[in-house]
mmCIF file of all heavy atoms in Angstrom:
data_model
loop_
_atom_site.group_PDB
_atom_site.id
_atom_site.type_symbol
_atom_site.label_atom_id
_atom_site.label_comp_id
_atom_site.label_asym_id
_atom_site.label_seq_id
_atom_site.Cartn_x
_atom_site.Cartn_y
_atom_site.Cartn_z
ATOM 1 N N ASN C 182 33.350 52.838 16.473
ATOM 2 C CA ASN C 182 33.173 54.268 17.031
ATOM 3 C C ASN C 182 34.340 54.607 18.010
ATOM 4 O O ASN C 182 34.669 55.791 18.228
ATOM 5 C CB ASN C 182 31.852 54.342 17.832
ATOM 6 C CG ASN C 182 30.680 54.638 16.878
ATOM 7 O OD1 ASN C 182 30.936 54.772 15.636
ATOM 8 N ND2 ASN C 182 29.579 54.676 17.443
ATOM 9 N N ALA C 183 34.888 53.590 18.516
ATOM 10 C CA ALA C 183 36.008 53.735 19.468
ATOM 11 C C ALA C 183 37.339 54.131 18.822
ATOM 12 O O ALA C 183 38.254 54.692 19.386
ATOM 13 C CB ALA C 183 36.192 52.524 20.450
ATOM 14 N N THR C 184 37.410 53.831 17.502
ATOM 15 C CA THR C 184 38.615 53.995 16.750
ATOM 16 C C THR C 184 39.162 55.513 16.952
ATOM 17 O O THR C 184 40.329 55.610 17.376
ATOM 18 C CB THR C 184 38.627 53.515 15.343
ATOM 19 O OG1 THR C 184 38.159 52.226 15.439
ATOM 20 C CG2 THR C 184 39.997 53.666 14.698
ATOM 21 N N PRO C 185 38.520 56.433 16.617
ATOM 22 C CA PRO C 185 39.118 57.834 16.678
ATOM 23 C C PRO C 185 39.745 58.222 18.071
ATOM 24 O O PRO C 185 40.913 58.537 18.224
ATOM 25 C CB PRO C 185 38.022 58.755 16.171
ATOM 26 C CG PRO C 185 37.132 57.796 15.442
ATOM 27 C CD PRO C 185 37.158 56.515 16.017
ATOM 28 N N PRO C 186 38.877 58.161 19.204
ATOM 29 C CA PRO C 186 39.510 58.470 20.459
ATOM 30 C C PRO C 186 40.608 57.469 20.860
ATOM 31 O O PRO C 186 41.526 57.984 21.426
ATOM 32 C CB PRO C 186 38.431 58.403 21.411
ATOM 33 C CG PRO C 186 37.283 57.651 20.699
ATOM 34 C CD PRO C 186 37.410 57.827 19.278
ATOM 35 N N LEU C 187 40.468 56.283 20.487
ATOM 36 C CA LEU C 187 41.571 55.356 20.751
ATOM 37 C C LEU C 187 42.901 55.842 20.047
ATOM 38 O O LEU C 187 43.894 55.909 20.764
ATOM 39 C CB LEU C 187 41.153 53.963 20.111
ATOM 40 C CG LEU C 187 41.398 52.710 21.056
ATOM 41 C CD1 LEU C 187 40.510 51.639 20.518
ATOM 42 C CD2 LEU C 187 42.778 52.261 21.186
ATOM 43 N N GLN C 188 42.717 55.977 18.752
ATOM 44 C CA GLN C 188 44.011 56.404 18.046
ATOM 45 C C GLN C 188 44.509 57.600 18.754
ATOM 46 O O GLN C 188 45.648 57.871 18.864
ATOM 47 C CB GLN C 188 43.608 56.576 16.720
ATOM 48 C CG GLN C 188 43.031 55.569 15.818
ATOM 49 C CD GLN C 188 44.290 54.944 15.154
ATOM 50 O OE1 GLN C 188 45.473 55.009 15.542
ATOM 51 N NE2 GLN C 188 43.951 54.135 14.021
ATOM 52 N N GLY C 189 43.606 58.715 19.099
ATOM 53 C CA GLY C 189 44.120 59.948 19.665
ATOM 54 C C GLY C 189 44.794 59.718 20.862
ATOM 55 O O GLY C 189 46.016 60.150 21.053
ATOM 56 N N ALA C 190 44.383 58.891 21.870
ATOM 57 C CA ALA C 190 45.009 58.648 23.077
ATOM 58 C C ALA C 190 46.323 57.991 22.842
ATOM 59 O O ALA C 190 47.321 58.306 23.432
ATOM 60 C CB ALA C 190 44.081 57.904 24.097
ATOM 61 N N LEU C 191 46.335 56.917 22.054
ATOM 62 C CA LEU C 191 47.602 56.232 21.768
ATOM 63 C C LEU C 191 48.634 57.121 21.123
ATOM 64 O O LEU C 191 49.830 57.127 21.604
ATOM 65 C CB LEU C 191 47.380 55.008 20.886
ATOM 66 C CG LEU C 191 46.447 53.946 21.299
ATOM 67 C CD1 LEU C 191 46.219 52.845 20.305
ATOM 68 C CD2 LEU C 191 46.983 53.335 22.624
ATOM 69 N N MET C 192 48.287 57.943 20.158
ATOM 70 C CA MET C 192 49.211 58.804 19.658
ATOM 71 C C MET C 192 49.759 59.833 20.572
ATOM 72 O O MET C 192 50.958 60.011 20.642
ATOM 73 C CB MET C 192 48.572 59.662 18.352
ATOM 74 C CG MET C 192 48.275 58.811 17.212
ATOM 75 S SD MET C 192 49.915 58.018 16.526
ATOM 76 C CE MET C 192 49.272 56.712 15.608
ATOM 77 N N ARG C 193 48.842 60.323 21.389
ATOM 78 C CA ARG C 193 49.347 61.274 22.417
ATOM 79 C C ARG C 193 50.296 60.653 23.425
ATOM 80 O O ARG C 193 51.322 61.186 23.945
ATOM 81 C CB ARG C 193 48.138 61.863 23.202
ATOM 82 C CG ARG C 193 47.595 63.171 22.561
ATOM 83 C CD ARG C 193 46.658 63.831 23.629
ATOM 84 N NE ARG C 193 45.527 62.928 23.977
ATOM 85 C CZ ARG C 193 44.393 62.871 23.239
ATOM 86 N NH1 ARG C 193 44.227 63.723 22.140
ATOM 87 N NH2 ARG C 193 43.446 62.098 23.577
ATOM 88 N N SER C 194 50.015 59.303 23.675
ATOM 89 C CA SER C 194 50.889 58.666 24.645
ATOM 90 C C SER C 194 52.382 58.550 24.246
ATOM 91 O O SER C 194 53.240 58.393 25.125
ATOM 92 C CB SER C 194 50.290 57.188 25.012
ATOM 93 O OG SER C 194 50.613 56.347 23.914
ATOM 94 N N ILE C 195 52.548 58.650 22.931
ATOM 95 C CA ILE C 195 53.915 58.536 22.434
ATOM 96 C C ILE C 195 54.451 59.975 22.052
ATOM 97 O O ILE C 195 55.533 60.066 21.574
ATOM 98 C CB ILE C 195 54.099 57.596 21.208
ATOM 99 C CG1 ILE C 195 53.147 57.999 20.174
ATOM 100 C CG2 ILE C 195 53.915 56.159 21.674
ATOM 101 C CD1 ILE C 195 53.274 57.195 18.860
ATOM 102 N N GLY C 196 53.773 60.946 22.412
ATOM 103 C CA GLY C 196 54.107 62.328 22.112
ATOM 104 C C GLY C 196 54.086 62.787 20.620
ATOM 105 O O GLY C 196 54.698 63.562 20.084
ATOM 106 N N ALA C 197 53.020 62.122 19.985
ATOM 107 C CA ALA C 197 52.788 62.549 18.576
ATOM 108 C C ALA C 197 51.435 63.329 18.438
ATOM 109 O O ALA C 197 50.599 63.195 19.374
ATOM 110 C CB ALA C 197 52.658 61.305 17.765
ATOM 111 N N GLU C 198 51.403 64.102 17.417
ATOM 112 C CA GLU C 198 50.188 64.786 17.136
ATOM 113 C C GLU C 198 49.101 63.802 16.801
ATOM 114 O O GLU C 198 49.208 63.107 15.694
ATOM 115 C CB GLU C 198 50.290 66.022 15.992
ATOM 116 C CG GLU C 198 50.917 67.178 16.415
ATOM 117 C CD GLU C 198 49.919 67.833 17.558
ATOM 118 O OE1 GLU C 198 48.661 67.975 17.260
ATOM 119 O OE2 GLU C 198 50.325 68.270 18.675
ATOM 120 N N PRO C 199 47.978 63.881 17.416
ATOM 121 C CA PRO C 199 46.971 62.725 17.062
ATOM 122 C C PRO C 199 46.386 63.030 15.688
ATOM 123 O O PRO C 199 45.887 62.094 15.084
ATOM 124 C CB PRO C 199 45.885 62.890 18.119
ATOM 125 C CG PRO C 199 46.193 64.094 18.848
ATOM 126 C CD PRO C 199 47.587 64.474 18.655
ATOM 127 N N ALA C 200 46.368 64.290 15.206
ATOM 128 C CA ALA C 200 45.591 64.564 13.964
ATOM 129 C C ALA C 200 46.076 63.802 12.874
ATOM 130 O O ALA C 200 47.206 63.579 12.575
ATOM 131 C CB ALA C 200 45.890 66.055 13.723
ATOM 132 N N SER C 201 45.180 63.353 12.008
ATOM 133 C CA SER C 201 45.237 62.977 10.635
ATOM 134 C C SER C 201 46.216 61.835 10.254
ATOM 135 O O SER C 201 46.630 61.632 9.286
ATOM 136 C CB SER C 201 45.754 64.224 9.819
ATOM 137 O OG SER C 201 47.047 64.427 10.013
ATOM 138 N N PHE C 202 46.456 60.818 11.264
ATOM 139 C CA PHE C 202 47.148 59.595 10.922
ATOM 140 C C PHE C 202 46.083 58.632 10.449
ATOM 141 O O PHE C 202 46.415 57.621 9.840
ATOM 142 C CB PHE C 202 47.917 59.184 11.948
ATOM 143 C CG PHE C 202 49.146 59.999 12.123
ATOM 144 C CD1 PHE C 202 49.384 60.716 13.355
ATOM 145 C CD2 PHE C 202 50.177 59.990 11.274
ATOM 146 C CE1 PHE C 202 50.487 61.563 13.528
ATOM 147 C CE2 PHE C 202 51.320 60.725 11.437
ATOM 148 C CZ PHE C 202 51.510 61.462 12.554
ATOM 149 N N THR C 203 44.829 58.824 10.872
ATOM 150 C CA THR C 203 43.806 57.790 10.491
ATOM 151 C C THR C 203 43.606 57.692 9.081
ATOM 152 O O THR C 203 43.157 58.622 8.360
ATOM 153 C CB THR C 203 42.369 58.103 11.180
ATOM 154 O OG1 THR C 203 42.609 58.726 12.431
ATOM 155 C CG2 THR C 203 41.533 56.969 11.147
ATOM 156 N N PRO C 204 44.081 56.562 8.381
ATOM 157 C CA PRO C 204 43.920 56.476 7.058
ATOM 158 C C PRO C 204 42.531 55.884 6.652
ATOM 159 O O PRO C 204 41.823 55.431 7.448
ATOM 160 C CB PRO C 204 45.022 55.382 6.709
ATOM 161 C CG PRO C 204 44.995 54.556 7.959
ATOM 162 C CD PRO C 204 44.503 55.305 9.114
ATOM 163 N N ALA C 205 42.230 56.079 5.325
ATOM 164 C CA ALA C 205 41.100 55.225 4.886
ATOM 165 C C ALA C 205 41.408 53.703 4.988
ATOM 166 O O ALA C 205 42.503 53.336 4.700
ATOM 167 C CB ALA C 205 40.928 55.652 3.375
ATOM 168 N N ILE C 206 40.499 53.020 5.443
ATOM 169 C CA ILE C 206 40.629 51.476 5.484
ATOM 170 C C ILE C 206 40.835 50.869 4.270
ATOM 171 O O ILE C 206 40.033 51.086 3.256
ATOM 172 C CB ILE C 206 39.491 50.903 6.265
ATOM 173 C CG1 ILE C 206 39.347 51.577 7.652
ATOM 174 C CG2 ILE C 206 39.728 49.366 6.427
ATOM 175 C CD1 ILE C 206 38.063 51.258 8.324
ATOM 176 N N ALA C 207 41.973 50.206 4.079
ATOM 177 C CA ALA C 207 42.198 49.578 2.817
ATOM 178 C C ALA C 207 41.179 48.515 2.470
ATOM 179 O O ALA C 207 40.656 47.801 3.405
ATOM 180 C CB ALA C 207 43.622 48.867 2.862
ATOM 181 N N ALA C 208 41.022 48.189 1.273
ATOM 182 C CA ALA C 208 40.043 47.116 0.910
ATOM 183 C C ALA C 208 40.392 45.884 1.431
ATOM 184 O O ALA C 208 39.463 45.104 1.725
ATOM 185 C CB ALA C 208 39.946 47.179 -0.661
ATOM 186 N N SER C 209 41.631 45.688 1.528
ATOM 187 C CA SER C 209 42.023 44.374 1.991
ATOM 188 C C SER C 209 41.559 43.921 3.390
ATOM 189 O O SER C 209 41.406 42.813 3.776
ATOM 190 C CB SER C 209 43.554 44.071 1.930
ATOM 191 O OG SER C 209 44.089 45.200 2.796
#
Side-chain angles (χ1 to χ4, degrees):
Chain C
N182 279 356
T184 304
L187 225 162
Q188 295 269 25
L191 293 180
M192 286 301 162
R193 268 192 301 273
S194 75
I195 54 173
E198 273 303 308
S201 74
F202 287 111
T203 320
I206 301 165
S209 59

